[in-house]
Amino acid sequence: MSAYAIYRLPHEDHATLVQQTEGEPAEFLSCTELNGRQGFVVAPFEVTSQQPILLIRPDRVETRKVESGGEVHAPGDSPRHATCLPDSTYIIDFANYHAQLEAGIFRKIVLARCAEEVSEALIDPMELFLCACELYPRMFISLVSTSKSGTWLIATPEILLEGKAHDWHTIALAGTMRLEGDSLMSEGERVTWATKDIQEQRIVTTYIAECLEQFTGDFHEEGPRTVRAANLVHLRSDFTFTLPDGRHLGDLLHALHPTPAVCGLPKRETFNFIIQNEHTPRRYYSGFMGMLDPEGGTHLYVSLRCMNIDGNRYHLYAGGGLLTDSTVSQEWLETEAKLETMRRVIRQSNVLKT
């Protein structure tokens, strides 16, 4: 199959396959170049000529039925791979990042890491996609494959931009807590949030409001509220707004991406620091992907809880927002909890093959 993407929106019972049957996806070096475009977008955290924004042309569009189960875990269901002690690379990165916060240079910065998993059996990526759909009905699930990007699977709760015509929606998502024990049987409605999480979510909310003010005077904010994604819960605020002209969505995406949820504040300074100092390049992790169609329906999501598939080797990515009161052990465990989203997909797919 040539360049393709297959995606399932949250709570839907079908997936949509978008395939470019001839040639390679269009490549762009700025979100603004997406103005007036239509297709499936695959955007990286850092846009470069070697790692461009890709637009898969929808030569073939097909709807497929998919099953979804539920995200309810049995009490005591916990990550099998969770490592309590951070590795030396993460400790070095954390110290470097945290020093900037303590010096007052940054208000928030996101530290990411990559972990490798190896499967004894070779699993068809489509099987991994279908497994993720069944495990995570609340999330946006997407499998993308192009010669430029490689093959990626994501299961993300974070909307970057969705809507059509004049009516649009985005969210501020931050703060992370893992559900354990009996709380796995709930939606996390009884969670008590730490000050650090509340502050982090407010930073993201304020940033998004300031971005929207550049494009519209008609927007409404609701929240924050607690939402569940796999065995994690987050704080979420929703923004609904109108746009006079949907032909300039690329300009809005340029302003929004990357949000403080995956980067930090000040945006440009933290972005440059991450590029220069993070040990593992993020590639298409913490970028965004989804269908871009200003009139027919746009659904773009931040590429979180994702992995790059290379045969039977899987490169899993996760990150966490650091504030001055963050600790290295706390942040490491948060990334372990996030990595578990994709580890569970690999485990479950292996079980189904045996």
Side-chain angles (χ1 to χ4, degrees):
M1 187 181 289
S2 56
Y4 72 90
I6 184 168
Y7 66 94
R8 193 231 44 208
L9 296 174
H11 305 291
E12 295 283 1
D13 62 358
H14 63 276
T16 302
L17 173 69
V18 179
Q19 185 181 4
Q20 181 167 330
T21 56
E22 294 183 359
E24 296 294 327
E27 299 181 9
F28 304 110
L29 296 179
S30 171
C31 288
T32 59
E33 296 180 69
L34 294 173
N35 284 336
R37 306 279 184 174
Q38 180 189 19
F40 193 95
V41 179
V42 186
F45 178 70
E46 179 196 16
V47 180
T48 66
S49 58
Q50 292 76 36
Q51 192 172 265
I53 298 169
L54 302 171
L55 186 66
I56 300 174
R57 189 177 64 243
D59 296 335
R60 174 189 172 204
V61 179
E62 176 185 315
T63 300
R64 298 182 178 183
K65 186 81 173 179
V66 295
E67 294 182 4
S68 63
E71 294 173 71
V72 177
H73 295 218
D77 185 11
S78 59
R80 298 182 187 179
H81 296 258
T83 304
C84 295
L85 297 177
D87 61 35
S88 58
T89 298
Y90 188 82
I91 292 172
I92 292 169
D93 278 350
F94 180 90
N96 190 14
Y97 279 46
H98 199 255
Q100 309 301 309
L101 295 166
E102 291 183 314
I105 298 172
F106 304 143
R107 292 175 57 199
K108 171 192 173 177
I109 187 167
V110 175
L111 173 58
R113 53 182 281 246
C114 178
E116 183 177 288
E117 297 285 327
V118 179
S119 171
E120 292 184 4
L122 186 64
I123 307 171
D124 187 317
M126 195 64 72
E127 292 181 22
L128 293 165
F129 170 78
L130 294 173
C131 182
C133 287
E134 184 173 3
L135 288 174
Y136 306 125
R138 297 174 177 85
M139 296 200 203
F140 174 80
I141 312 295
S142 181
L143 174 69
V144 173
S145 185
T146 75
S147 59
K148 195 80 172 187
S149 66
T151 303
W152 291 77
L153 177 68
I154 73 168
T156 178
E158 185 168 355
I159 299 165
L160 182 65
L161 181 65
E162 67 174 6
K164 62 181 179 179
H166 300 294
D167 300 320
W168 298 89
H169 175 218
T170 187
I171 69 171
L173 192 76
T176 300
M177 193 176 303
R178 193 172 80 192
L179 297 176
E180 298 179 295
D182 292 341
S183 64
L184 284 166
M185 309 303 292
S186 73
E187 295 298 310
E189 60 272 11
R190 295 184 180 179
V191 163
T192 300
W193 289 97
T195 302
K196 182 255 184 188
D197 294 301
I198 295 170
Q199 290 174 340
E200 183 182 350
Q201 205 272 341
R202 176 45 53 185
I203 286 172
V204 179
T205 300
T206 301
Y207 172 83
I208 290 178
E210 291 173 349
C211 285
L212 294 180
E213 286 172 351
Q214 302 173 42
F215 295 89
T216 179
D218 180 18
F219 70 88
H220 177 67
E221 175 188 344
E222 291 186 359
R225 59 189 173 94
T226 299
V227 293
R228 180 170 175 174
N231 62 336
L232 305 176
V233 286
H234 306 283
L235 283 169
R236 167 174 166 167
S237 293
D238 288 73
F239 292 87
T240 53
F241 57 98
T242 61
L243 290 176
D245 189 350
R247 293 175 298 175
H248 297 281
L249 293 182
D251 295 337
L252 176 55
L253 291 169
H254 180 73
L256 288 172
H257 175 68
T259 73
V262 298
C263 185
L265 282 175
K267 175 178 173 175
R268 187 50 50 192
E269 288 81 354
T270 52
F271 177 83
N272 290 335
F273 187 88
I274 289 168
I275 297 304
Q276 295 166 13
N277 290 277
E278 209 160 63
H279 268 86
T280 304
R282 297 188 181 189
R283 304 175 65 199
Y284 285 86
Y285 162 68
S286 67
F288 63 91
M289 66 174 64
M291 197 65 194
L292 177 67
D293 186 350
E295 296 302 321
T298 290
H299 302 279
L300 298 174
Y301 281 72
V302 182
S303 302
L304 305 177
R305 321 294 150 76
C306 67
M307 63 180 174
N308 174 228
I309 302 170
D310 183 12
N312 69 331
R313 307 183 81 86
Y314 308 94
H315 301 280
L316 284 61
Y317 294 81
L322 308 188
L323 300 178
T324 52
D325 58 351
S326 297
T327 65
V328 65
S329 58
Q330 168 195 32
E331 297 299 330
W332 175 266
L333 288 176
E334 180 176 319
T335 60
E336 282 291 304
K338 291 174 177 176
L339 291 170
E340 177 63 13
T341 301
M342 281 296 152
R343 284 173 173 157
R344 191 177 176 216
V345 173
I346 297 169
R347 284 202 309 268
Q348 184 70 15
S349 298
N350 271 319
V351 168
L352 294 174
K353 288 185 73 68
T354 59

